[in-house]
Amino acid sequence: MSGEKKEYPKEQVDLYQQIKWNGWGDTRKFLHQLKPSGTIAMTTPELSSVPLPSLRGFIKKELSLPGEEDKPFVLEETPSLQVENIHVDPPKQYPEFVRELKAFFLADQLKDDKLARITHTFGKSLRDLIRVRIGQVKNAPDLIVLPHSHEEVERLVQLAHKFNVVIIPMGGGSNIVGAIEPVSNDRYTISIDMRRMNKVLWVDRREMTACIQVGIMGPELEKQLHKQGVSLGHDPDSFEFSTLGGWLATCSSGHQSDKYGDIEDMAVSFKTVTPTGTLELRNGARSGAGINYKHIILGSEGTLGIITEAVMKVHAVPQAAEYYGFLFPTFAHAVSALQQIRSSEVIPTMIRVYDPEETQLSFAWKPSKGPISEFTSAMVKKYLHYIRSFDFKNVCLSIIGFEGPKKVVDFHRTSVFDILSKNAAFGLGSTPGKTWAEKRYDLPYIRDFLLDHNMWVDVAETTVSYANLQSLWKDAKQTFVKHFKDQGIPAWICAHISHTYSNGVCLYFIFASKQNENKDMAQYIEAKKLMTDIIFKYGGSLSHHHGVGYEHVPWMTRYATKGWINIYRSLKETIDPKDICNPRKLIPSIKEENNKEPYLFDVINVKHPKL
C-alpha cells in the first residue's frame, strides 16, 4: 500500500453542508404557514408556497383533547436555535495521531469546524433533533475524515487502532436509532464520512452485478447505474439522503422489496476494513461452504469495521413501471387481499396499505387539484358511500405497483386486480400511484413542521405474522392513545403495511403528541417503551429495517437471547480488541446487562439535559 497522498479536488462542497443540520433533508424544502390565513404550505426547489388547505384542520382535529375542538387553534412557535448560537466544546487534541493523518490525507479531507462536528454528532431521530434544536450537543466528534478510497479507509483504521482512537462511520446520517452518535468523551473520536466514496466502479451485464463504493447516495447510485441500463431497485424512505453503506450496515429494506428483495438479498460480497485486517468475500451466486459470512457484517452498524466496496445484484431498468391506487372499505379487507396476493404465484413489485388514520393524513396533506378534480372526488365519495356502503372513517388507501417487461406487468396487473376486486377494492387509477411516487420521501418534512410548533412525531416498525397482524395493530393504537389521553395529553397514531412476505409483513406505526414544558424526552421514552412492549407481546421483531443503535439495545437480550449476545460480544473482542468501532451500539455492555450502569436509552435527555 502506498503512503503517498492521492490528487483530488482541493475544495468541494460536501453533502453534509447541503442538508439540514436540525431537521430532515433538503434545506430548500420545508412546510410553513401562509400569512395571514395560517394555511400550511410547502415550498420545494421547484415550487414555492403550495397550499395544503386541509392539513391545519387535520392537525387541530387529531391533536386536540375532547372539548377543545371549538377553541381557537394556535400553532405555538418553538423554533430551533441557529447554529451560531450553539455551543460546542472544542475538539480534544491528539497531535501524534493527527500528524500521521496529515501525512496521508489532504487538508480538505480533515474537518473540525463547528458545522462539520454538529452534523456528524447526530442522526435524524426525534431524540437527535430535539437535542440539536435546543443546542444540547455533547460529545461531538473531534475530527471528521472524508476518505476517497478503500485504501484510505484501511490506512485510517490502522492508525485509529494504533492510537486507540474511536471511529464511527457515517453514510447519509439518516438513521433514527442513535447509531452514529459518539456516546463518550473519554477517547479521541473521529467520524468517518464515507460520502466522497461515491462511484460505481464496474458493471457486469453478463452476471448482472455491479461493484460500488458504499458512500454513494441513493439518487446518484441509480443515476450511474441507469447510464449502463441497470438498476439496484433499493428505494427506502431515506433514499434521497442515505447511502449504500448505510443500507448494508443496518439491513435496510426498500419500497420495492416484494420483487427485488431486501438489501441482504441484493448483496453478493463486500470489503470490510476492521482494526485487525480487511475482510473480503468471494463473488458468486451462492455458497454452501459453512457459515454465510456476509451476515456477520450485514446489520453490524459499524461495530465490527467499515464496509468500503460492495458487489451488488442489479437488474435491467424496467421497461414498464405502473403504480395504482385502491380504496378498501376496511383494514381487514385490505389484509385479506394482501394475504391472497402473497399466497398466489403472482407478486407485485410493491404493496402498501394505509390504515384509516394514515389514509386520512394522506388526504389531508395533498394540495388542491382545482374545482373539477374536487368535484370528481366528491362524486366518487358519494358513490362509495351510498352505492358501495363505504364508511370513510374506516376506508384504507393502498398503493400497488408493478415493474418489469410490459407483458409481465400486464399479466401480473390482471391477476392482482382480480384478487383486489374480490375483496371489495375500488380502483382509483394511476393518479394516486403517480402522486405517491412524487411525494414518497416527503413525510419527514411534516415532522420538522410539528417540531417547529411544539409537537413531536416518532415511529415504531416491526415484522409481524399474519396471524398476529390485526391484533397488534388494534392493541397498539388503542393502548397508545389511551395512555396519553388518560394523562390529559392529546395523542394520535396511524400505521401502514410497507413490506410483505409469505409469512408476515412490516407494520409501521407513526405517532404524535404535543411536547411537554421541559422539552425533554420523557413522553418519547414512555411511548417507545409502550410500543416496543406491545410489539413483543405479539411476537414482532425488534426492528424490520431501522436497526438498533443504542435506542433498541435495552430489548436486545429479549429479542436475540443472551447466548447470541455473548457470541457477538466474543466476535467483537476478536475483530476489535480495543473497542474502537462505534462503541456501545447494537448490544448491551456487560455493565448495562448486569444493571451496573444505565442504558443510554434511559439517560440521554430524558429528564436532565445532559448525558
Side-chain angles (χ1 to χ4, degrees), residues 123-142:
K124 300 298 181 183
S125 72
L126 175 65
R127 194 194 300 255
D128 294 335
L129 294 182
I130 285 180
R131 284 182 293 161
V132 76
R133 288 167 60 87
I134 64 175
Q136 188 188 121
V137 182
K138 305 290 183 182
N139 301 328
D142 300 295

Side-chain angles (χ1 to χ4, degrees), residues 329-493:
T330 67
F331 192 63
H333 282 84
V335 171
S336 175
L338 188 156
Q339 283 187 266
Q340 290 173 42
I341 291 169
R342 285 299 322 197
S343 63
S344 75
E345 305 239 343
V346 180
I347 310 298
T349 301
M350 184 192 80
I351 309 172
R352 290 176 78 86
V353 176
Y354 301 90
D355 79 353
E357 285 71 26
E358 191 160 353
T359 296
Q360 295 303 318
L361 172 60
S362 297
F363 293 158
W365 92 290
K366 65 180 181 179
S368 174
K369 297 295 185 179
I372 296 176
S373 179
E374 297 294 333
F375 175 78
T376 302
S377 296
M379 291 300 100
V380 169
K381 287 183 178 180
K382 287 186 176 182
Y383 166 77
L384 291 174
H385 178 66
Y386 291 108
I387 306 301
R388 299 282 295 271
S389 300
F390 277 37
D391 181 347
F392 271 80
K393 291 181 180 178
N394 297 320
V395 74
C396 294
L397 174 67
S398 178
I399 303 296
I400 300 180
F402 309 87
E403 294 185 1
K406 187 67 171 67
K407 288 184 178 180
V408 174
V409 166
D410 290 344
F411 174 73
H412 282 203
R413 183 184 62 242
T414 301
S415 301
V416 170
F417 280 17
D418 182 57
I419 295 173
L420 296 174
S421 67
K422 292 175 180 177
N423 286 273
F426 177 78
L428 300 172
S430 61
T431 298
K434 293 176 181 176
T435 301
W436 172 83
E438 292 169 358
K439 296 175 60 178
R440 64 187 184 271
Y441 308 126
D442 290 353
L443 198 60
Y445 293 99
I446 295 182
R447 179 182 64 173
D448 288 355
F449 179 82
L450 294 179
L451 284 172
D452 280 336
H453 294 90
N454 203 37
M455 290 170 275
W456 60 268
V457 183
D458 200 55
V459 300
E461 43 80 36
T462 185
T463 310
V464 63
S465 68
Y466 288 110
N468 291 335
L469 167 58
Q470 293 191 65
S471 297
L472 168 59
W473 172 69
K474 290 176 183 177
D475 193 354
K477 294 182 69 175
Q478 291 171 359
T479 303
F480 178 86
V481 172
K482 184 178 187 302
H483 175 82
F484 283 100
K485 289 197 173 180
D486 283 352
Q487 302 177 56
I489 302 170
W492 176 83
I493 184 171

Side-chain angles (χ1 to χ4, degrees), residues 566-585:
N566 289 335
I567 289 171
Y568 179 83
R569 190 175 284 138
S570 297
L571 181 67
K572 181 170 172 64
E573 289 172 357
T574 300
I575 294 176
D576 179 24
K578 295 182 180 179
D579 193 25
I580 65 171
C581 293
N582 207 7
R584 293 192 71 180
K585 310 293 170 54

Side-chain angles (χ1 to χ4, degrees), residues 149-151 153-154 194 197 201 212-215 245 270-273 278 306-310:
S149 67
H150 168 79
E151 291 73 22
V153 175
E154 282 190 317
M194 300 293 289
M197 293 180 60
L201 301 176
I212 307 161
Q213 290 183 312
V214 303
F270 37 81
K271 295 179 181 178
T272 306
V273 179
T278 294
I306 300 174
I307 305 168
T308 57
E309 297 173 5

Side-chain angles (χ1 to χ4, degrees), residues 45 55 73 80 88 130 255 278 316 322 333 367 383 425 486 498 507 557 609:
L55 185 56
F73 182 61
S80 166
V88 181
I130 285 180
H255 291 129
T278 294
E322 301 177 4
H333 282 84
Y383 166 77
D486 283 352
S498 57
L507 185 61
T557 50

Side-chain angles (χ1 to χ4, degrees), residues 153-174:
V153 175
E154 282 190 317
R155 181 59 176 157
L156 178 56
V157 173
Q158 289 169 2
L159 289 175
H161 182 59
K162 174 182 176 181
F163 288 97
N164 194 25
V165 167
V166 170
I167 52 176
I168 302 175
M170 180 169 177
S174 61

Side-chain angles (χ1 to χ4, degrees), residues 37 50 73 75 104 135 165 179 210 220 233 305 311 315 363 449 454 484 532 556 588:
S37 67
V50 178
F73 182 61
L75 286 170
F104 194 79
V165 167
E220 181 62 23
V311 176
H315 58 266
F363 293 158
F449 179 82
N454 203 37
F484 283 100
T532 306
M556 279 299 285

Side-chain angles (χ1 to χ4, degrees), residues 58-69 71 73 485 489-491 514:
F58 177 84
I59 295 172
K60 176 183 178 181
K61 175 177 175 290
E62 299 299 340
L63 288 178
S64 294
L65 291 168
E68 295 181 344
E69 297 89 345
K71 295 181 180 179
F73 182 61
K485 289 197 173 180
I489 302 170
K514 288 188 176 179

